[in-house]
């Protein structure tokens, strides 16, 4: 029996999918800003072996990189309230994304820092740069320039991974996709449209990050 595609019920609810897509982008933006910032701190601490924080970050990185994102999300959303810490769905989603991206970006940025020749720091001292200038122009920006493609890919992976946040009723794209298909019973069509929206968001973010890399990273490295 031939399957008859009917996208009309899905398109009638396209506003919900777009609402979910927008919220997914918001989660990604906040998670990226905080997660990469955490990763930079962790990378510096680990690369320069600043104890005891280097050991703490090493444990944190291994713990996060070797456990599923869904388990991390459940631990935050269901575990923290058991300790008396009340947290909403979107707060749990953001926190999980920040913690997850922070661990991966720590290792990515650390690789970039370790690739910087030590002679460059010595040269910055000879040029009478202060610590902030040396860190920004001699360490951080060149390091980010070396690992920007890998970091960009990790950000997109985290954005796509945010789909599991629907498991705690976070109203992102997958949440509304599940809601729509449960009402119209057009699962195939619903998830085709959802897939295309995710693809569009991934391509958009990739282009945006590539522009940021060219405009602010590579130019100053």
């Amino acid at each position: 029996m031939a399957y008859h595609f009917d996208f009309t019920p899905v398109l009638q609810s396209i506003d919900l999918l777009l609402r979910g897509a927008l919220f997914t982008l918001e989660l990604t933006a906040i998670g990226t800003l905080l997660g990469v910032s955490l990763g930079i701190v962790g990378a510096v601490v680990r690369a320069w072996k600043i104890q005891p924080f280097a050991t703490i970050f090493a444990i944190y990185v291994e713990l996060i990189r070797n456990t599923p994102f869904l388990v991390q999300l459940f631990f935050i959303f269901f575990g923290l309230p058991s300790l008396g810490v009340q947290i909403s769905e979107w707060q749990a989603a953001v926190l999980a994304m920040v913690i997850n991206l922070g661990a991966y970006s720590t290792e990515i940025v650390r690789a970039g820092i370790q690739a910087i020749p030590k002679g460059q720091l010595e040269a910055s001292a000879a040029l009478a740069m202060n610590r902030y200038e040396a860190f920004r122009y001699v360490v951080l920006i060149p390091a980010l320039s070396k690992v920007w493609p890998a970091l960009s890919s990790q950000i997109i992976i985290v954005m796509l991974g945010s789909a599991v946040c629907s498991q705690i009723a976070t109203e992102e794209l997958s949440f509304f996709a599940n809601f729509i298909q449960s009402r119209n019973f057009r699962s195939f069509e619903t998830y085709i449209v959802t897939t295309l929206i995710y693809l569009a968001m991934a391509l958009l973010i990739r282009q945006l990050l590539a522009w940021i890399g060219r405009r602010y990273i590579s130019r100053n490295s």
Side-chain angles (χ1 to χ4, degrees), residues 49-106:
K49 297 180 173 58
I50 303 174
Q51 295 295 351
F53 302 106
T55 300
I56 294 173
F57 266 98
I59 295 172
Y60 154 66
V61 167
E62 291 303 315
L63 178 64
I64 298 302
R65 293 178 69 194
N66 291 287
T67 54
F69 178 64
L70 181 60
V71 173
Q72 298 164 18
L73 179 65
F74 281 176
F75 179 84
I76 292 171
F77 185 68
F78 296 111
L80 292 184
S82 300
L83 301 177
V85 180
Q86 299 302 318
I87 190 168
S88 66
E89 295 87 353
W90 77 268
Q91 290 172 333
V94 168
L95 183 56
M97 292 174 69
V98 169
I99 291 174
N100 187 271
L101 180 58
Y104 283 93
S105 58
T106 291

Side-chain angles (χ1 to χ4, degrees), residues 168-219:
I168 61 170
T170 304
E171 295 184 348
E172 45 73 63
L173 179 55
S174 290
F175 173 86
F176 284 113
N178 294 334
F179 174 78
I180 292 170
Q181 68 86 24
S182 70
R183 294 298 182 90
N184 61 27
F185 303 105
R186 308 300 299 188
S187 300
F188 200 17
E189 293 89 335
T190 299
Y191 289 117
I192 286 176
V193 174
T194 302
T195 298
L196 292 176
I197 294 175
Y198 271 117
L199 177 61
M201 289 194 299
L203 294 176
L204 174 64
I205 293 174
R206 186 176 298 279
Q207 291 301 316
L208 176 60
L209 291 173
W211 177 81
I212 292 174
R214 292 191 302 268
R215 179 68 175 81
Y216 297 102
I217 305 298
S218 298
R219 176 181 294 185

